[in-house]
Amino acid sequence: MINRHVEKEQKQNQLQILMTIPGISYTSASAILAEIGDINVFACPKSLVGWSGLAPSLNESAGKSSNGHITKRGSKYLRRMLVQCAHVYRRT
């Protein structure tokens, strides 16, 4: 019983943290948490972006590097949700 209460409180704290990001509402924060599980798994925002498949591929040859298209290796649903949140932020 106590474990469930602690887990519920941790999820609420994680929701509050996600909702501090501009463009993310309660609904989108809930969907993001449902996809990733625990936000503490990711050490920094870049690791979440890489895990979701939104990071561009990197091509290197002869000492030159260039960014390619997004990798699309992560969750399709999470990627779509993060892009929609970015569009909401851009419109406001």
Side-chain angles (χ1 to χ4, degrees), residues 72-85:
K72 296 185 180 178
R73 291 187 181 182
S75 166
K76 181 179 178 181
Y77 184 73
L78 176 62
R79 198 169 41 255
R80 186 179 307 148
M81 181 61 65
L82 292 174
V83 168
Q84 290 299 321
C85 291

Side-chain angles (χ1 to χ4, degrees), residues 1 5 14 18 20 22 32 43 48 53 56 62 67 70 79 82:
M1 182 71 175
H5 180 66
Q14 291 179 4
L18 282 174
T20 60
I32 291 168
L48 174 60
N67 290 332
I70 62 173
R79 198 169 41 255
L82 292 174

Side-chain angles (χ1 to χ4, degrees), residues 4-70:
R4 287 184 188 174
H5 180 66
V6 170
E7 286 178 15
K8 187 176 181 180
E9 221 172 280
Q10 286 176 344
K11 288 289 183 187
Q12 288 290 47
N13 290 341
Q14 291 179 4
L15 279 172
Q16 294 297 326
I17 290 169
L18 282 174
M19 288 176 12
T20 60
I21 301 170
I24 296 183
S25 66
Y26 178 80
T27 306
S28 54
S30 298
I32 291 168
L33 272 181
E35 281 294 310
I36 64 175
D38 185 15
I39 199 169
N40 296 323
V41 173
F42 302 102
C44 64
K46 285 184 180 183
S47 60
L48 174 60
V49 170
W51 186 80
S52 66
L54 285 171
S57 60
L58 183 63
N59 302 318
E60 293 186 36
S61 179
K64 297 179 183 178
S65 64
S66 63
N67 290 332
H69 300 288
I70 62 173

